[in-house]
Amino acid sequence: MAIERGEFPLPDVDDPLVGPFFAAAARGELAITRCAECDRLVWYPASCPVCGAEPIWVAVSGRATLFSWVTVRRPFLPAFADFVPFVTALVALEEDASVRLCTMVPEVDPSVLRADQAMRVVFRPLRFATVPDREVIVPMFVPVESSSNRPPH
Amino acid sequence: MVDTPDWGHAVELDDIAGAVSIVGIGETAFTKASGRTATEIGAEAAERAIADAGLIPDQIDGLTYSGAFAGFGPADFHAHFGTNHELWSSPWGGGMAWAGTAPYLAAKAIAAGDATHVLNVFPVAWATQRAEMTGGPGEVHAQQSLKQNLEVPFGWFPQPIYFATIMQRYMHEYGTTREQFGAVAVTLRDHANRTPGAVFHDKAMSIDDYLAAPMLADPLCLFDSCPISDGGGAYVVTSTERARDLRADPVVVLGVGEGYSATGTHWSQQRAFTSTPQVFAAPHAWRMAGITPADVDVLTCYDPFTVVSLMQLEDMGFCEKGDAGALAQSGALRFDSQQIPYNTHGGLLSHAYVLGIAHVIECVQQLRGSAGAQVAGCEVAAYGGYTGHMASTLVLGRDR
Ligand SMILES: [Zn+2]
């Protein structure tokens, strides 16, 4: 039962459940699902655990705190072989800290990272050498004090 | 009713305290890639457990196994033993958290008259499969579309990354040091050195070895993480009344607990990020057994990573939240500590990554007095099973 989608591990931007997340990122927006009835953020995308209503996609500020992170030294998938070392992280959204996004922290020396520090969204193309000629714009997060908003090399 | 956190729940299990006992155990060799299939390994474990109970395969009329991982199911049982009798079965047994709840399923089947002798079996051949690139522990997660799209692209995959992230947050919340995580790894390695069947039986490890080990994903190093193994185990459950007529001294099932996290396998969203559903499972098991953690002479927990040991020790009530690192460093987890002898066979970290089935077998060995790192006067043993979103607690004791 291997994964057959040739672009793995790039996200499937045509996936009906999460496609809007990547469409928003391509526009420079961070979008999250919110319950259409009771307005709470519901993440991951699903019907509301409280009232059962369907979610809608809404733009959020892109401000967050660094909940936790790791510096990956060993590539566990071949696609990440030329990424290591890199920082993968969970950030907690300013709008609702119980919503955590999986993300990367690019262009930062991991030794300066501190739990709960303020972060902001940046949008970066994700490319894998194992998936030639394809890229997907995704939200990544950098420390607020970081002046770097340049695309990676 | 005590104040229960709302990020998960316990399953309301019926009281089966004392109703059934474990009467036979069987283990295979625990190895790196063996070239064997899980079905071959499962058959060998089953044979040994049935023989240990003094039974023959025709007398096994119930089977609990893992439906989630292809291995040794009812058809494999009949094919291997050349039998065709009626076999009650449930796919909700095997290893991981289910190694702790399978005796409950057996107790219910026995009480209902569906079975008399129930075999629980769990084999794994991931070391061989990984060498052949046909499977492994990460594959189950990679298949889920939300993980595939919202986690994997950001490098948040597989298990070593999940638990390195939990470890980082845990260190931030509780000030736990690398030396304290290292104390878990070193203690378990010493236990494995005393356990003949352990994969790492012949390899010693010092705290300096731990601190010098390569980082996989900071703060998680090689020795925080369990290896991949081939191997399997099985045990036979019957009524305690029947057990007293069989060969070995019965090991009585005193309590069972089962708990779940509300966020399922999406660990990134679990509200209590540095806790396990043992918060829900363990109190239920202690209540059923009529004991407290202080009564437990030996504890084994599903321990794929050092931080999972620390979290479960806390969540099962063996110390306050955040204190398990200091506990490990104090030596309290050693087999001869007379405090909380823990994973006395070496655990997943140093015995073998056979997903908890060997942990239950070690509890039985300790209660029989036949363990490698034997705890003197062991009367009560407990297993903490953990499968991410699910936890189980199984309390076992000597027959009075
Ligand atoms: Zn709602």
Side-chain angles (χ1 to χ4, degrees):
Chain A
M1 269 215 321
I3 290 162
E4 311 223 328
R5 191 163 56 81
E7 292 174 356
F8 179 85
L10 277 179
D12 180 3
V13 297
D14 297 322
D15 182 275
L17 200 54
V18 299
F21 181 78
F22 297 102
R27 299 191 299 270
E29 277 181 8
L30 181 64
I32 297 291
T33 38
R34 188 179 79 189
C35 173
E37 293 296 326
C38 69
D39 283 352
R40 73 186 64 235
L41 295 181
V42 177
W43 195 249
Y44 292 145
S47 48
C48 177
V50 176
C51 74
E54 288 306 300
I56 55 172
W57 288 89
V58 294
V60 290
S61 68
R63 288 187 294 272
T65 55
L66 184 60
F67 184 72
S68 193
W69 73 98
V70 302
T71 307
V72 184
R73 304 279 173 192
R74 175 179 292 188
F76 290 93
L77 287 174
F80 289 91
D82 53 4
F83 279 56
V84 291
F86 70 99
V87 177
T88 182
L90 299 180
V91 295
L93 295 191
E94 181 183 82
E95 286 81 0
D96 178 351
S98 74
V99 171
R100 302 186 197 121
L101 284 187
C102 276
T103 191
M104 281 182 187
V105 179
E107 310 142 36
V108 172
D109 170 6
S111 69
V112 307
L113 297 174
R114 296 290 175 266
D116 299 331
Q117 77 180 90
M119 306 288 281
R120 66 186 170 84
V121 72
V122 294
F123 296 94
R124 296 284 184 267
L126 188 60
R127 301 187 194 98
F128 295 106
T130 53
V131 190
D133 306 322
R134 283 281 290 132
E135 66 177 40
V136 175
I137 306 288
V138 299
M140 298 188 187
F141 283 76
V142 295
V144 164
E145 56 266 31
S146 164
S147 60
S148 166
N149 198 14
R150 293 173 316 238
H153 32 274
Chain B
M1 195 67 196
V2 288
D3 185 29
T4 309
D6 63 355
W7 57 272
H9 72 279
V11 177
E12 285 306 319
L13 301 176
D14 296 331
D15 187 350
I16 59 145
V20 295
S21 291
I22 294 177
V23 293
I25 50 177
E27 293 181 324
T28 69
F30 301 115
T31 63
K32 296 177 178 175
S34 65
R36 298 207 292 172
T37 66
T39 305
E40 289 164 355
I41 294 168
E44 186 177 283
E47 271 176 23
R48 291 178 179 180
I50 295 166
D52 183 57
L55 297 170
I56 59 168
D58 294 88
Q59 291 174 289
I60 298 297
D61 54 5
L63 181 70
T64 54
Y65 64 100
S66 171
F69 302 95
F72 195 75
D76 304 306
F77 181 98
H78 284 312
H80 179 74
F81 291 113
T83 49
N84 57 12
H85 59 277
E86 200 166 320
L87 194 60
W88 171 88
S89 69
S90 167
W92 294 103
M96 306 174 96
W98 301 287
T101 50
Y104 181 81
L105 301 178
K108 301 301 279 183
I110 289 165
D114 293 331
T116 304
H117 306 112
V118 181
L119 178 76
N120 181 59
V121 59
F122 188 76
V124 66
W126 276 345
T128 293
Q129 287 178 332
R130 186 172 63 172
E132 294 168 358
M133 297 296 281
T134 56
E139 182 168 324
V140 178
H141 295 287
Q143 295 292 341
Q144 296 185 18
S145 105
L146 285 169
K147 290 182 185 240
Q148 233 186 82
N149 290 310
L150 297 176
E151 297 182 354
V152 178
F154 300 96
W156 210 66
F157 174 86
Q159 283 90 334
I161 305 293
Y162 305 156
F163 287 95
T165 310
I166 292 171
M167 186 177 176
Q168 178 90 271
R169 184 72 196 180
Y170 183 94
M171 292 169 86
H172 167 68
E173 290 178 354
Y174 303 116
T176 312
T177 64
R178 287 200 68 216
E179 286 76 8
Q180 292 174 334
F181 290 105
V184 177
V186 170
T187 302
L188 268 51
R189 178 59 59 91
D190 179 69
H191 293 166
N193 295 154
R194 297 166 191 276
T195 303
V199 173
F200 290 104
H201 175 65
D202 296 327
K203 278 203 180 130
M205 185 206 296
S206 69
I207 188 70
D208 291 337
D209 295 333
Y210 171 89
L211 293 171
M215 289 304 223
L216 302 183
D218 313 12
L220 185 123
C221 78
L222 181 65
F223 293 145
D224 288 307
S225 176
C226 68
I228 304 283
S229 313
D230 283 5
Y235 57 80
V236 179
V237 178
T238 190
S239 72
T240 297
E241 196 183 351
R242 166 84 180 125
R244 290 181 180 132
D245 297 333
L246 294 176
R247 219 179 58 170
D249 288 338
V251 164
V252 184
V253 176
L254 300 177
V256 184
E258 183 178 357
Y260 290 88
S261 162
T263 40
T265 56
H266 296 136
W267 297 323
S268 62
Q269 306 303 314
Q270 181 172 299
R271 195 114 42 87
F273 191 67
T274 54
S275 295
T276 66
Q278 284 296 1
V279 166
F280 310 105
H284 199 283
W286 305 143
R287 254 197 320 276
M288 190 186 295
I291 64 165
T292 71
D295 299 315
V296 175
D297 299 312
V298 170
L299 175 68
T300 66
C301 285
Y302 192 88
D303 60 323
F305 301 96
T306 49
V307 69
V308 178
S309 287
L310 299 187
M311 292 193 294
Q312 288 191 93
L313 280 159
E314 296 159 359
D315 298 342
M316 296 177 82
F318 288 92
C319 63
E320 293 297 316
K321 196 69 197 168
D323 287 353
L327 194 73
Q329 203 169 19
S330 77
L333 305 185
R334 287 184 49 86
F335 79 103
D336 54 359
S337 68
Q338 298 185 307
Q339 295 181 61
I340 311 166
Y342 176 75
N343 280 359
T344 42
H345 60 324
L348 300 179
L349 283 187
S350 274
H351 175 260
Y353 184 52
V354 291
L355 287 79
I357 190 74
H359 288 57
V360 176
I361 290 172
E362 172 68 7
C363 287
V364 175
Q365 299 275 27
Q366 287 283 351
L367 290 163
R368 286 180 175 183
S370 55
Q374 180 63 43
V375 172
C378 181
E379 296 283 334
V380 176
Y383 166 63
Y386 173 73
T387 310
H389 67 299
M390 173 188 178
S392 69
T393 300
L394 173 66
V395 186
L396 301 173
R398 292 175 60 88
D399 194 20
R400 279 171 278 261

